[in-house]
Amino acid sequence: MTIIDQLTRIYPSILLQKPKNRKEAAKFQWFTTEDGDLVGIDKAALHDKEADLLSIFLTPINEKHGEPTREAQWRQILKGQDKAPDFHPPRAFRFLIFSIKDTTPDKESIQEAFQSLFPEEVPILWKNNREGMIIEEVFQENQELLTLEGIPDILMSDLYTDIRFYVSDTETHIQDARTVFLWSERAAAIAADYHLGPVVSSIEILPYLFLDSLNREDWNYMKRTVFSDMDEEKELLDTIRVFLESGSNTTLAAKKLYMHRNSLQYRVDKFIERTGLDVKKFEVAVPVYLALLQMEQ
């Protein structure tokens, strides 16, 4: 039995969509479920203690004269529904999908911390107590987007919990919002599976998208083909990974690894000799790099 079925048994007058008449809508207390569904319960049948209890497993929507909040309007759009008549679309937007390591800080404290990062209030859609999404909207022509570098560290010092973000591309067409949202949710899940950094962009996720599509049999064959008996050569494999991440630039890779350029070149040549894979060639470097990423997991 779903949560909506249970609520319907307790509150037979429950509504699952808002009446167009604002006065009628104002007679109900509105909530969203963990799945993002909208529910309205008649205020006359709802006591204060019951409302507090419902707020534990439902997200209350603060009403202003019966109008849906910005969050509720965005939920409609992301579910593929027509946008509300009074929804004013931004010039551009992007999704910041967040995940919280633990639930020690209460949701209100986290919400307040998120809002403090922006000059204006932003919609925040919660999926559950540990996951959700900030929608960063652009309304002004010269409005700057939030720079997330260092933000997880700031939040860690304030909230004492690890918060990670996946940042979508900036979009300008509201009709593409649902498509971008669904893609972003998948990308955020991949970032979590591969334990990527605290802030991950859509570009950074692309190699892992290919890895995620490989089944176990394909990966085992790829590993055997690329590395054969090199499982124990971690230092050499790490060198090749950094070399490829540096655009096959020997000087740059040597600086990252704090080693002499000639020493790095020796390791690259050693890898080529042992595997027969010339990682200096682009068409060889790509599958080798993907295999190295997979081996790290």
Side-chain angles (χ1 to χ4, degrees), residues 3-283:
I3 188 171
I4 291 179
D5 292 333
Q6 295 175 27
L7 289 170
T8 303
R9 292 180 61 182
I10 302 171
Y11 305 102
S13 61
I14 191 172
L15 296 181
L16 302 182
Q17 63 180 29
K18 288 196 173 183
K20 292 183 179 180
N21 186 301
R22 293 182 179 179
K23 289 185 178 180
E24 286 299 315
K27 295 178 181 179
F28 289 77
Q29 173 63 54
W30 296 93
F31 302 84
T32 54
T33 68
E34 188 172 298
D35 294 327
D37 296 313
L38 189 68
V39 295
I41 299 176
D42 192 340
K43 291 178 180 178
L46 192 63
H47 300 294
D48 290 342
K49 288 185 178 180
E50 291 176 338
D52 291 340
L53 182 62
L54 288 172
S55 297
I56 296 175
F57 56 93
L58 297 174
T59 302
I61 295 177
N62 296 321
E63 299 294 319
K64 294 182 179 179
H65 309 297
E67 296 179 357
T69 63
R70 192 71 175 174
E71 284 85 352
Q73 292 174 332
W74 268 105
R75 285 190 190 277
Q76 282 183 273
I77 293 169
L78 298 180
K79 290 173 69 175
Q81 300 173 357
D82 292 336
K83 63 180 184 290
D86 55 350
F87 177 80
H88 176 54
R91 299 170 67 102
F93 61 91
R94 67 175 181 174
F95 301 136
L96 313 180
I97 296 182
F98 61 84
S99 61
I100 305 166
K101 187 173 183 179
D102 60 65
T103 56
T104 302
D106 60 87
K107 188 185 289 187
E108 289 73 19
S109 297
I110 295 173
Q111 180 113 353
E112 183 178 344
F114 284 162
Q115 292 290 2
S116 69
L117 300 173
F118 301 89
E120 303 289 341
E121 186 173 348
V122 294
I124 300 177
L125 309 185
W126 288 87
K127 184 177 181 180
N128 51 51
N129 287 335
R130 294 180 58 252
E131 300 171 299
M133 178 174 68
I134 301 168
I135 304 177
E136 188 174 8
E137 301 174 298
V138 176
F139 290 101
Q140 306 299 325
E141 185 174 354
N142 298 320
Q143 182 178 331
E144 294 184 1
L145 294 171
L146 176 69
T147 300
L148 271 83
E149 184 178 356
I151 293 297
D153 292 333
I154 294 173
L155 294 173
M156 169 67 85
S157 65
D158 290 342
L159 301 170
Y160 303 102
T161 189
D162 183 25
I163 302 178
R164 294 176 174 259
F165 295 90
Y166 168 78
V167 184
S168 78
D169 291 329
T170 302
E171 300 291 334
T172 56
H173 301 292
I174 198 69
Q175 62 267 28
D176 295 332
R178 176 172 167 79
T179 300
V180 176
F181 165 65
L182 294 175
W183 158 253
S184 298
E185 278 206 318
R186 183 186 175 196
I190 292 174
D193 289 342
Y194 285 91
H195 308 289
L196 303 186
V199 179
V200 180
S201 69
S202 58
I203 295 298
E204 293 171 292
I205 211 72
L206 288 179
Y208 298 92
L209 180 65
F210 288 99
L211 293 180
D212 196 58
S213 65
L214 280 178
N215 60 42
R216 178 55 56 183
E217 182 180 347
D218 290 339
W219 160 238
N220 287 335
Y221 180 80
M222 185 177 181
K223 180 180 177 182
R224 185 170 66 250
T225 300
V226 175
F227 300 118
S228 59
D229 60 345
M230 297 189 66
D231 285 353
E232 304 303 320
E233 298 279 1
K234 186 177 186 308
E235 188 175 30
L236 177 58
L237 296 179
D238 285 344
T239 300
I240 300 303
R241 177 182 57 78
V242 174
F243 172 70
L244 296 176
E245 288 177 344
S246 303
S248 300
N249 185 315
T250 306
T251 302
L252 178 59
K255 287 182 179 179
K256 289 182 178 180
L257 292 168
Y258 302 101
M259 66 168 51
H260 193 277
R261 185 178 183 278
N262 291 342
S263 298
L264 186 135
Q265 186 63 60
Y266 169 78
R267 291 188 183 182
V268 172
D269 292 340
K270 179 181 177 182
F271 178 85
I272 294 173
E273 181 182 350
R274 287 191 57 178
T275 64
L277 298 167
D278 188 351
V279 289
K280 297 176 185 178
K281 296 180 179 179
F282 176 79
E283 65 272 20

